[in-house]
Amino acid sequence: MPFLHLQNVDYSYPSGESDYITALRSVNITVERGEFVALVGCNGSGKSTLARLCNGLIVPDGGEVTVDGMPTSDKSALYDIRKKIGVVFQNPDNQTVTTVVEDDVAFGPENLGLPPAEIRERVDRALRAVGMSEHAKSGPMRLSGGQKQRVAIAGVLAIKPELMVLDEATGMLDPDGRREVLDVVKKLNRDENMAVLMITHFMEEAAEADRIIILDRGSVVADGGRELFATPEVFTDAGLDLPVYVRVAQKLKARGMDIGCPLSARQFVTAVKARLDGDGGNV
Amino acid sequence: MISVKNLSYVYSPKTPFNTQALFGINVDINDGDFFGIIGNTGAGKSTLVSHFNALTRVQKNSGTVFVDDVDLSAKKLDLKKLRAKVGMVFQYPEYQLFDDTVEKDVMFGPKNLGLPVDEQRSRAKAAIELVGLDYAEIAGRSPFELSGGQKRRVALAGVLAMRPEILVLDEPTAGIDPIGKRKLMELICDIKKTCPTIIMISHNMDEIASYCNRIAVLDRGTVKGVFAPRELFGSRELLEKCGVELPLVTELAVGLADAGIDIDRSIIDQDELVCAILKAGKYA
Ligand SMILES: Nc1ncnc2c1ncn2[C@@H]1O[C@H](COP(=O)(O)OP(=O)(O)OP(=O)(O)O)[C@@H](O)[C@H]1O
Ligand SMILES: Nc1ncnc2c1ncn2[C@@H]1O[C@H](COP(=O)(O)OP(=O)(O)OP(=O)(O)O)[C@@H](O)[C@H]1O
Ligand SMILES: [Mg+2]
Ligand SMILES: [Mg+2]
């Protein structure tokens, strides 16, 4: 049984007196333990709605969401579900509940009823992981945009969930900071088998996942590995872009130099080099 | 023109929480600049630009900020006039939204300028369409019921409807989908025709490199320097000194150069990279 399972999920938001806005339509998604999945799609395609469904913040109108076999519609299971799934929401300000950064990060572990020493250790570790130790005593309202995001991520890390959902959680970070956070998440994924569902607008980031799911106007239109980039239409039809190395490779091909479809910056360099060396400059 | 002289700023001064965010900043932004501001989380970028429309007031004995001939450290300021001239889209623009429909929200600025209702509405409609939203579909909806990226677009429309002369954008493309990002940058270039001075904070080095003519690097409340894009991104020394990452395109160019291919390391544009590779392979 998949760890996270969305089966035929429909979800609509009420709008005005009698109107509805359909956000998700017959969505089927699985995330296995230890998997690293990227979720991409245009603005308004339903990604955040899906994130809210994962931990039972909202429940589907049709179909079912289960976490480790427990349906999110079962209110008595919500406590257990939120131990297993941690969601970093898109807007960090909505999550700050207390006045000091370290208390904010301790909120989750405290709710789990952990002993104080364990809480202390988790909070310190989480803050260190996101580079915010020196701000432990600051008020969350006194932080810059990127610092708030780091604190929100630490708050979920401290819960040590089995699945971490990141909804554009690094959108306000500098490139270095984004890399650092991604590395922390990847390390937990590798060393502690934490599953990750990462919502992102950066195709280069999505390319680092084991699997990429594309949402388009509320429906899943593709679900597969990096090789999806070899069929660029699935991205462009959904209004998405391609990683920069894939785009440059496409442009080279259009000008008569075919290096295939590189799936990382390194592959790009290797492919260009091989091609240039192979041609021996005698073209 | 915006002229910042020796500007310092302390949050919560004279309290145990006081944090100095800016240390003696000097920077001149000229009319017609597409001025980029980059720097790590917490460097002071948002604090600096929030001075430009007097959202943050210049503190006593902490330097000066001039917008043309208006001294923002003066006690009395015509805020209405200043804010019509300097349009600002915040880092989390969703907090700029407040009215119960998208249209009313966008009309608020023009209304505040004392324009007639017809003009308010026509400006709102034009601005909503300009940011790539479907007016008929979205005008009557509540701005709070939109997705993250949709909210950002509405907030931008609200500022554009004021037709400012200087536009300050704090991470305008964060949270916008990739095609939307590109379109938004094209849109900003379009806007530049009528609003000639653009100031943009961004963590996206590709955007900074492609669109800005001058780039200020901030680091822990100080200006490390102001550079032209190629000057900065073409110099390993400067990049290291300033702690700046490469645009992704430049990273590819550097990767190729490191692999022994004859390619300029300061390339900041995809098409330029394509041409350089073809040339190295004698395809061109
Ligand atoms: N609270 C709400 N009330 C009504 N409609 C909503 C609400 N939140 C989202 N929607 C609508 O549901 C659809 C999906 O929104 P969602 O926030 O899930 O998109 P998203 O993929 O996360 O977009 P983004 O990339 O902009 O964050 C959109 O059409 C949006 O306008
Ligand atoms: N309201 C506030 N009260 C106290 N300190 C603050 C406040 N806002 C920001 N700071 C502090 O001031 C410094 C500069 O913050 P600022 O928001 O200007 O950074 P930034 O460069 O915009 O960062 P980011 O890229 O994360 O948005 C940071 O150290 C931050 O912690
Ligand atoms: Mg979203
Ligand atoms: Mg900021």
Side-chain angles (χ1 to χ4, degrees):
Chain A
M1 181 184 25
F3 182 70
L4 171 70
H5 200 180
L6 281 78
Q7 293 175 76
N8 291 318
V9 168
D10 294 320
Y11 191 83
S12 310
Y13 292 98
S15 169
E17 301 286 286
S18 55
D19 234 11
Y20 285 91
I21 295 200
T22 305
L24 294 174
R25 204 176 274 125
S26 322
V27 166
N28 290 293
I29 284 178
T30 60
V31 179
E32 303 288 347
R33 275 171 206 284
E35 239 191 329
F36 197 123
V37 180
L39 178 65
V40 297
C42 278
N43 291 141
S45 58
K47 304 180 299 296
S48 297
T49 304
L50 201 145
R52 290 179 201 126
L53 283 162
C54 288
N55 75 344
L57 200 66
I58 54 178
V59 291
D61 299 332
E64 192 178 53
V65 179
T66 59
V67 175
D68 208 4
M70 300 175 285
T72 58
S73 55
D74 175 4
K75 284 214 165 62
S76 65
L78 277 187
Y79 178 81
D80 286 322
I81 286 175
R82 289 182 190 163
K83 261 202 293 206
K84 290 172 186 284
I85 293 201
V87 185
V88 187
F89 288 104
Q90 191 165 0
N91 197 330
D93 268 11
N94 295 340
Q95 294 175 84
T96 40
V97 287
T98 51
T99 51
V100 180
V101 165
E102 62 179 4
D103 293 351
D104 199 69
V105 177
F107 184 78
E110 271 165 7
N111 264 358
L112 298 179
L114 296 170
E118 164 92 21
I119 294 175
R120 181 78 258 166
E121 203 228 293
R122 285 195 183 195
V123 170
D124 290 345
R125 194 127 61 115
L127 283 174
R128 219 176 312 128
V130 299
M132 287 294 289
S133 303
E134 58 178 300
H135 292 273
K137 309 276 184 213
S138 308
M141 298 323 286
R142 298 169 189 280
L143 301 174
S144 77
Q147 288 167 340
K148 283 181 195 162
Q149 279 199 325
R150 288 170 189 251
V151 172
I153 294 164
V156 171
L157 287 178
I159 301 171
K160 290 200 180 170
E162 288 166 67
L163 167 65
M164 185 165 183
V165 181
L166 298 148
D167 189 356
E168 296 185 45
T170 60
M172 290 290 172
L173 298 191
D174 50 84
D176 247 354
R178 215 168 55 231
R179 186 73 252 166
E180 278 167 30
V181 169
L182 193 59
D183 286 345
V184 168
V185 171
K186 276 189 148 176
K187 189 167 183 310
L188 287 170
N189 171 250
R190 203 176 47 231
D191 300 348
E192 307 194 13
N193 207 36
M194 178 181 78
V196 180
L197 180 62
M198 181 177 66
I199 296 172
T200 180
H201 285 306
F202 291 91
M203 296 303 130
E204 291 81 7
E205 253 173 38
E208 295 186 34
D210 302 327
R211 187 148 65 83
I212 303 170
I213 298 174
I214 305 178
L215 270 183
D216 185 13
R217 281 159 293 174
S219 303
V220 174
V221 293
D223 184 342
R226 246 173 298 245
E227 26 341 312
L228 280 179
F229 289 120
T231 45
E233 317 80 68
V234 298
F235 291 87
T236 47
D237 288 352
L240 294 170
D241 215 339
L242 297 161
V244 58
Y245 40 83
V246 178
R247 258 187 292 146
V248 174
Q250 282 180 338
K251 289 185 181 196
L252 285 170
K253 191 171 173 189
R255 305 272 300 266
M257 180 178 175
D258 191 353
I259 60 160
C261 180
L263 301 177
S264 69
R266 188 175 304 166
Q267 269 187 31
F268 172 88
V269 171
T270 317
V272 170
K273 172 103 176 120
R275 192 62 219 266
L276 292 182
D277 289 351
D279 289 342
N282 57 4
V283 180
Chain B
M1 135 143 203
I2 296 183
S3 179
V4 179
K5 292 251 166 345
N6 207 16
L7 181 70
S8 294
Y9 188 81
V10 181
Y11 281 102
S12 324
K14 297 183 201 134
T15 73
F17 290 116
N18 79 84
T19 316
Q20 182 155 3
L22 303 177
F23 297 82
I25 300 265
N26 287 297
V27 67
D28 281 333
I29 299 167
N30 303 317
D31 291 340
D33 268 346
F34 199 133
F35 195 86
I37 302 180
I38 62 176
N40 288 342
T41 299
K45 304 179 295 297
S46 299
T47 307
L48 172 63
V49 302
S50 68
H51 280 84
F52 299 167
N53 74 346
L55 192 73
T56 299
R57 297 301 301 264
V58 179
Q59 288 172 332
K60 225 177 155 188
N61 300 325
S62 305
T64 57
V65 178
F66 275 84
V67 174
D68 292 333
D69 52 3
V70 182
D71 180 356
L72 301 195
S73 48
K75 269 226 170 70
K76 275 210 168 138
L77 268 184
D78 186 344
L79 286 181
K80 216 166 167 177
K81 203 167 147 207
L82 179 68
R83 289 181 188 161
K85 182 171 190 164
V86 183
M88 175 103 53
V89 183
F90 300 133
Q91 187 165 9
Y92 288 101
E94 23 292 37
Y95 299 119
Q96 262 171 300
L97 306 171
F98 61 95
D99 222 320
D100 58 347
T101 71
V102 167
E103 180 170 51
K104 279 201 239 166
D105 209 295
V106 178
M107 277 167 66
F108 180 79
K111 183 171 156 196
N112 239 2
L113 296 179
L115 296 170
V117 179
D118 285 356
E119 172 78 9
Q120 294 171 24
R121 184 157 291 125
S122 68
R123 279 198 184 193
K125 182 161 186 279
I128 290 170
E129 282 169 351
L130 201 56
V131 299
L133 292 171
D134 183 334
Y135 176 80
E137 187 193 308
I138 215 150
R141 283 180 65 187
S142 158
F144 303 103
E145 295 176 356
L146 302 174
S147 79
Q150 289 164 337
K151 283 182 185 161
R152 299 196 134 247
R153 289 168 197 252
V154 173
L156 177 61
V159 172
L160 291 179
M162 311 262 282
R163 312 240 165 112
E165 289 168 42
I166 299 175
L167 183 60
V168 185
L169 302 159
D170 196 345
E171 310 215 15
T173 62
I176 306 280
D177 56 57
I179 301 272
K181 273 195 177 78
R182 235 194 284 168
K183 287 205 182 127
L184 185 60
M185 289 313 299
E186 281 163 19
L187 163 71
I188 292 169
C189 290
D190 255 1
I191 293 168
K192 198 167 178 307
K193 290 176 195 149
T194 49
C195 170
T197 310
I198 310 255
I199 300 165
M200 176 171 83
I201 295 177
S202 177
H203 286 310
N204 188 320
M205 295 307 129
D206 290 77
E207 277 165 12
I208 288 279
S210 329
Y211 295 99
C212 298
N213 63 318
R214 295 202 303 142
I215 303 161
V217 185
L218 256 65
D219 179 37
R220 282 164 289 178
T222 64
V223 175
K224 281 261 172 177
V226 180
F227 310 99
R230 274 170 212 273
E231 178 189 9
L232 175 63
F233 293 116
S235 159
R236 259 194 195 180
E237 229 172 288
L238 270 182
L239 290 167
E240 242 159 64
K241 185 178 131 219
C242 297
V244 172
E245 297 278 302
L246 286 175
L248 296 171
V249 195
T250 315
E251 228 168 71
L252 295 181
V254 169
L256 293 170
D258 285 347
I261 296 167
D262 180 23
I263 276 196
D264 180 3
R265 293 171 183 270
S266 70
I267 286 177
I268 54 176
D269 178 84
Q270 283 181 26
D271 292 316
E272 202 188 338
L273 178 61
V274 168
C275 290
I277 293 172
L278 293 171
K279 203 165 143 225
K282 302 197 175 61
Y283 280 76

